[in-house]
Amino acid sequence: MGFNADEPGRRFGDAAASKIPGRTGVYPLMDWGWHRQQCEDYLLERFGAHWPKSYCTFCCFPVSMGALPAPPGAHTLAPGHRR
């Protein structure tokens, strides 16, 4: 879902790590003041399932959207996703 309001430092780390000129991150959960529990409550209400927190070491979103080249052999789009 993104960086929640419990993780303000990740916003600055994300901005510092960006190598894409002109890229501006958007952090709606922080802007809304949603903490992890609010996110989990929303997901449980919306989908009826507990959504565990993930710990991605690399964001594949720029690759899947074509902003960065995909590594050789990488699957760049989720099944059923269309550009």
Side-chain angles (χ1 to χ4, degrees):
M1 283 189 64
F3 303 155
N4 67 62
D6 298 318
E7 310 171 292
R10 293 187 72 189
R11 174 186 294 213
F12 304 112
D14 179 56
S18 177
K19 305 290 186 237
I20 302 171
R23 176 187 172 272
T24 302
V26 177
Y27 312 96
L29 300 174
M30 289 182 181
D31 295 342
W32 301 337
W34 279 31
H35 296 274
R36 181 65 197 168
Q37 191 60 55
Q38 288 167 290
C39 295
E40 288 186 14
D41 292 346
Y42 171 80
L43 291 168
L44 181 61
E45 180 181 328
R46 178 72 172 89
F47 298 105
H50 171 71
W51 212 289
K53 184 170 179 64
S54 65
Y55 296 94
C56 301
T57 59
F58 173 77
C59 183
C60 64
F61 185 72
V63 173
S64 69
M65 298 308 292
L68 296 174
H75 296 213
T76 58
L77 295 175
H81 179 82
R82 297 174 195 252
R83 282 191 191 164

